[in-house]
Every structure is written in structure tokens, then in C-alpha cells.
């Protein structure tokens, strides 16, 4: 066997060559490789993910397993966490109650691992199977090429992006043989889950929208503020809903109304420059994941800074979450770029859901964090506009912001379990 040639050292000694620096950049891995970081995070939820049919057959409680569900003949699949109740022998329970399915869909820049604080309690509800998916092109699902239609006009751009996710979810449902489901989506997942319920109402037993993006219309002066270089102003979440008009709530509302946009009367030239650059990148479908991948050996540091804000988690949980988030963020880019196709800068939808969700024909529940940056009044507007005679509810979870399922898992779990039991009990 020929001996392996020695590596050529750069002529400038200790200074690394451009090529040697490039080798430090994370290489794109297959989504099917190395589940250890995902399994490590799921272990923090108390789940025992089985890895063999023998373990599954011998289990007496809910069985959790990771699946890659094929959705077409091109090799695309949706990565799935399935937590199923063990089947009872027909002779033992000839008239067993019907089984129900809860399907969780994640938000942007996350994956199924971000529900790790919820799986255990949700899986304890009798007669319920719990599924959690990575959207096609995100998380550990396959990463097909995503081609934006931003050159075909805004309506075509939005329709293409929405169809990409809605139809892949429907194909996933068919492949698993789920007849009807309680569909629960967070943030970006809430946006797409709502659209799925609009198109396939017969397949949705109940819709739960957790801090969904894209509901309200942009303010009347939105376009003018963008031209001037202002970031879009947002209403801050408060602990008291409008039905509880406490003196503290009234005072906070009055103070916010009287607060000037900025002390100087407007942004500086530097702020305007950076803002316009960010808006240009947004319109061209650049993403946070692209930034992480471009950071190469410093990418994990960016994720550590992001997850480090989650002070409500233990140090061990933050470490496990950061390792998982980093791994799914450096995988090849795909449908992550669809965010700019459905949202304008400032997270206002190009086609706001408030003008579309009046046609919902399934029981619908909204959940927001009390300190959520997503305005809960969007959910209130939808509830008022729904024309069908269906049950609707809105909850605001205390001591939580946008990631309420992570920040206050106990109250989030309590509300969602209550909605599940309202169906099955």
C-alpha cells in the first residue's frame, strides 16, 4: 500500500492558509446521521426512546421512537417523534375507548427537541398518541432544494411557500394513517397549522395555535416607517388580559401610549443603514441559519449565546438544547428561506391570517405568553370573525414570553392536557 503523503505546510509558518481555515468550518452532515444530541435532549424530558422492536413489545407504558416517514418517491421524509400508547389485546379490552392523536409542530429556528419539557406529561393522557414533527426542510427532516417564487409576484411567492409545508404535512398524515388529529403549532408552526386546518378541516379534531405569527395586519404607517429606516413598533405583552382591566393594566397602557418612539425623534443614520441592510437581506431570503453556518468554528458560540438567555432551564438542559440546536442549524439550507416568502420585515404576514381564518370550521384554541412579543389581540380578532359555530378559547400563560412551552411548561402542559381531555373524557 502506498504511503500517505505528508501534508504540505504553509510557507508562512504558523499563519494558517485559507484552505486550512476552511477545514475548521462545520461540514454539512446528513440529517440521518448522529442522533445522539437529539436523544440527549429528549432524555431530559424523561422519555425513554426505544431503539429496537423487542424493547417496544416489552413496554407497558407509552413507547417513544424516532421515525423518518417517507412522504414521496424522491427520498424526502419528515422526521418524527412518535409516542404511542401500547395496544391492548382485543380479548382483554373488547370495547376499548377510541384513540386520539396530538400532533405538535415547531416554530422557526427550532425542531422537535424544543418540546422536550412537554412530552412526558402530554404522553400520560390515556388513549392519546403524541406525535411531533420536524417540518420538511427543517430540523432533522430531509432537506430538499427550496426555490422561492419571489420573482413571480407576492401572491405566487406566498402560495408556493404555504403549499410546500401544508401539503407535506398532509402527505405525512396519510403515510401514518392518522384519520383525525388535534393539531398544535407554535409560532411559524402555528401559521402553517392554521392553514392546514383551513384546507383539511375534516382531518383536524381541534386546532391549538401557540403564539402564532402572521395574524395581524401591518399598521397603516408600516411601509412609510420602513422607508424611513424605523423598525416596526410592537405592543408589549402584559400579564393581565384586557378582560381584567386592573389599575396596573390601565396605567401600563397609558404609559405605553404616551411613550415617544425614540428620545431623539428618530433613528440615527447608522441605525438606518443597518436596518436597510437587514431588510434587503430579508427580502432576499437570507436566514439566521445562514448566519450560523457562515460563522464556521464560531457557530456554536452564537447558539450558546442564544440559548444562554433561557435562564429558566438548568445548566444541563441549556447545554443539551444548545448542542441540539447547533446541530440542526448547520445542516444544509432548505425551506428555512421560506420565512421571507410569507413574512414581511417585522414579522407581519404578506397575506395576514386575520383576513383568512374567519373560515375556520374546527374548534380553535389560542395560547400566548403573558410577556409575548406576538400580540394576543390578533387571536382575539380571529375569534370575533370566525363565522362557523365552533368552540373558541384564548389563554395567556403567566410568567412566559414567546416560547411559553419552554418558559412555563407546567401551565402550558396544564392547558393543553385540559384541551385533550375535553375531547377524550
Amino acid at each position: 500500500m502506498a504511503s500517505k503523503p505528508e501534508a504540505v505546510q504553509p510557507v508562512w509558518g504558523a499563519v494558517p492558509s485559507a484552505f486550512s481555515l476552511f477545514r475548521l468550518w462545520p461540514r454539512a452532515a446528513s440529517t440521518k446521521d448522529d442522533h445522539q444530541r437529539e436523544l440527549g435532549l429528549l432524555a431530559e424530558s424523561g422519555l425513554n426512546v426505544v431503539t429496537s422492536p423487542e424493547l417496544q413489545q416489552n413496554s407497558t407504558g407509552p413507547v417513544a421512537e424516532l421515525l423518518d416517514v417517507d412522504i414521496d418517491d424522491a427520498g424526502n421524509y419528515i422526521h418524527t417523534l412518535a409516542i404511542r400508547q401500547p395496544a391492548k389485546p382485543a380479548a382483554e379490552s373488547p370495547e376499548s375507548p377510541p384513540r386520539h392523536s396530538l400532533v405538535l409542530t415547531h416554530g422557526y429556528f427550532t425542531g422537535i427537541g424544543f418540546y422536550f419539557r412537554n412530552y412526558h406529561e402530554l404522553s400520560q393522557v390515556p388513549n392519546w398518541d403524541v406525535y411531533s414533527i420536524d417540518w420538511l426542510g427543517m430540523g432533522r427532516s430531509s432537506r430538499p432544494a427550496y426555490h422561492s417564487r419571489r420573482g413571480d409576484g407576492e401572491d405566487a411567492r406566498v402560495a408556493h411557500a404555504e403549499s410546500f409545508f401544508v401539503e407535506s404535512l398532509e402527505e405525512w398524515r396519510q403515510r401514518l394513517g392518522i384519520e383525525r388529529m388535534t393539531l398544535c403549532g407554535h409560532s411559524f408552526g402555528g401559521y402553517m397549522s392554521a392553514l392546514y386546518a383551513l384546507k383539511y378541516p375534516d382531518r383536524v379534531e381541534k386546532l391549538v395555535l401557540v403564539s402564532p405569527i402572521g395574524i395581524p395586519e401591518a399598521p397603516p404607517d408600516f411601509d412609510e416607517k420602513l422607508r424611513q429606516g424605523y423598525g416596526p413598533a410592537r405592543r408589549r405583552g402584559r400579564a393581565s388580559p384586557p378582560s381584567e382591566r386592573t389599575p396596573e393594566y390601565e396605567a401600563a397602557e397609558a404609559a405605553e401610549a404616551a411613550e415617544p418612539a425614540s428620545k431623539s425623534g428618530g433613528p440615527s443614520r447608522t441605525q438606518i443603514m443597518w436596518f436597510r441592510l437587514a431588510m434587503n437581506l430579508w427580502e432576499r431570503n437570507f436566514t439566521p441559519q445562514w448566519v450560523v453556518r457562515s460563522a464556521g468554528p464560531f457557530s456554536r458560540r452564537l447558539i450558546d449565546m442564544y440559548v444562554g438567555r433561557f435562564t429558566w432551564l438548568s445548566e444541563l438542559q441549556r447545554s443539551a438544547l444548545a448542542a441540539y440546536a447547533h446541530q440542526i442549524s448547520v445542516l444544509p439550507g432548505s425551506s428555512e428561506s421560506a420565512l421571507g416568502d410569507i413574512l414581511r420585515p417585522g414579522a407581519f404576514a404578506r397575506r395576514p391570517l386575520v383576513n383568512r381564518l374567519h373560515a375556520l370550521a374546527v374548534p380553535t384554541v389560542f395560547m400566548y405568553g403573558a410577556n409575548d412579543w406576538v400580540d394576543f389581540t390578533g387571536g382575539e380578532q380571529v375569534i370575533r370573525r370566525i363565522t362557523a359555530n365552533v368552540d373558541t378559547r384564548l389563554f395567556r400563560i403567566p410568567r412566559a414570553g414567546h416560547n411559553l412551552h419552554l418558559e412555563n411548561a407546567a401551565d402550558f402542559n396544564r392547558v393543553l392536557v385540559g384541551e385533550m381531555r375535553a375531547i377524550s373524557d
Side-chain angles (χ1 to χ4, degrees):
M1 180 181 295
S3 61
K4 184 177 179 181
E6 293 183 359
V8 178
Q9 298 297 323
V11 297
W12 43 83
V15 181
S17 68
F19 178 74
S20 64
L21 276 177
F22 178 77
R23 290 187 301 173
L24 295 175
W25 257 241
R27 293 195 176 109
S30 166
T31 57
K32 286 182 176 290
D33 294 341
D34 187 12
H35 285 277
Q36 292 309 307
R37 295 179 185 178
E38 183 177 51
L39 291 171
L41 180 59
L42 292 177
E44 292 297 314
S45 69
L47 284 181
N48 181 25
V49 180
V50 300
T51 54
S52 70
E54 292 76 16
L55 290 174
Q56 184 173 346
Q57 293 174 359
N58 295 331
S59 177
T60 58
V63 176
E65 58 181 333
L66 292 170
L67 310 170
D68 288 329
V69 180
D70 294 329
I71 61 170
D72 59 26
D73 296 329
N76 289 311
Y77 55 88
I78 288 184
H79 187 59
T80 305
L81 174 66
I83 313 172
R84 299 184 177 107
Q85 300 285 341
K88 296 181 179 180
E92 179 183 323
S93 181
E95 297 182 1
S96 50
R99 298 278 283 270
H100 300 273
S101 297
L102 171 69
V103 176
L104 300 168
T105 68
H106 62 82
Y108 192 75
F109 202 36
T110 68
I112 63 176
F114 278 69
Y115 283 109
F116 79 94
R117 299 190 73 191
N118 316 113
Y119 290 131
H120 178 74
E121 190 162 347
L122 298 177
S123 66
Q124 301 306 304
V125 183
N127 306 311
W128 279 83
D129 296 329
V130 177
Y131 300 89
S132 186
I133 67 165
D134 282 335
W135 289 107
L136 181 63
M138 298 182 180
R140 297 189 66 85
S141 289
S142 61
R143 300 293 182 110
Y146 176 83
H147 303 289
S148 172
R149 299 283 178 83
R150 61 189 178 93
D152 297 340
E154 190 155 274
D155 287 345
R157 180 182 187 181
V158 173
H160 170 68
E162 293 176 350
S163 178
F164 181 94
F165 295 102
V166 170
E167 297 310 321
S168 61
L169 175 57
E170 170 58 10
E171 189 63 36
W172 172 87
R173 181 202 64 79
Q174 293 181 28
R175 296 294 177 109
L176 282 184
I178 299 173
E179 287 300 313
R180 299 184 75 206
M181 55 187 165
T182 289
L183 184 57
C184 175
H186 172 246
S187 193
F188 173 90
Y191 180 100
M192 293 301 172
S193 295
L195 294 176
Y196 179 91
L198 278 176
K199 185 168 184 179
Y200 299 104
D202 293 342
R203 300 303 181 184
V204 179
E205 196 165 20
K206 181 179 286 188
L207 177 65
V208 182
L209 302 179
V210 182
S211 190
I213 60 170
I215 288 184
E217 292 187 283
D221 60 348
F222 177 71
D223 289 326
E224 179 61 28
K225 284 189 173 182
L226 287 185
R227 282 192 292 270
Q228 294 178 8
Y230 284 79
R234 293 198 166 276
R235 177 176 179 163
R236 293 189 295 270
R238 304 190 192 93
S240 301
S243 57
E244 301 174 13
R245 307 294 296 188
T246 63
E248 293 79 11
Y249 186 94
E250 298 283 3
E253 192 170 54
E256 182 178 295
E259 189 176 82
S262 72
K263 293 181 179 179
S264 63
S268 67
R269 290 183 180 181
T270 301
Q271 289 172 324
I272 291 175
M273 180 188 70
W274 283 110
F275 183 77
R276 288 177 176 170
L277 174 62
M279 295 307 97
N280 184 268
L281 292 174
W282 181 286
E283 288 294 344
R284 294 175 180 273
N285 295 85
F286 284 85
T287 67
Q289 293 92 323
W290 173 83
V291 173
V292 172
R293 286 191 293 270
S294 300
F298 310 104
S299 58
R300 176 58 192 267
R301 176 59 178 163
L302 293 179
I303 296 296
D304 285 341
M305 291 170 61
Y306 170 68
V307 175
R309 303 175 307 145
F310 299 170
T311 55
W312 52 87
L313 299 178
S314 69
E315 185 175 348
L316 183 61
Q317 289 173 334
R318 286 198 299 273
S319 176
L321 184 60
Y324 166 77
H326 178 256
Q327 186 178 52
I328 63 174
S329 296
V330 298
L331 288 169
S334 177
S335 63
E336 66 195 49
S337 61
L339 188 69
D341 288 341
I342 64 170
L343 297 183
R344 304 176 69 191
F348 290 105
R350 299 182 186 276
R351 293 189 61 204
L353 293 183
V354 70
N355 298 325
R356 297 194 273 170
L357 296 189
H358 64 277
L360 281 173
V362 301
T364 302
V365 176
F366 288 89
M367 296 171 64
Y368 295 87
N371 303 308
D372 208 323
W373 65 262
V374 176
D375 192 348
F376 69 92
T377 61
E380 291 183 327
Q381 291 181 52
V382 171
I383 288 175
R384 288 194 295 268
R385 296 186 186 189
I386 291 177
T387 57
N389 184 23
V390 295
D391 185 36
T392 56
R393 297 154 73 83
L394 188 148
F395 297 90
R396 297 189 68 198
I397 304 301
R399 301 180 303 282
H402 185 56
N403 293 299
L404 47 157
H405 55 299
L406 272 175
E407 298 177 48
N408 187 349
D411 282 327
F412 173 87
N413 292 341
R414 175 182 55 79
V415 171
L416 188 49
V417 166
E419 295 301 321
M420 294 164 67
R421 289 188 177 276
I423 293 174
S424 58
D425 288 356

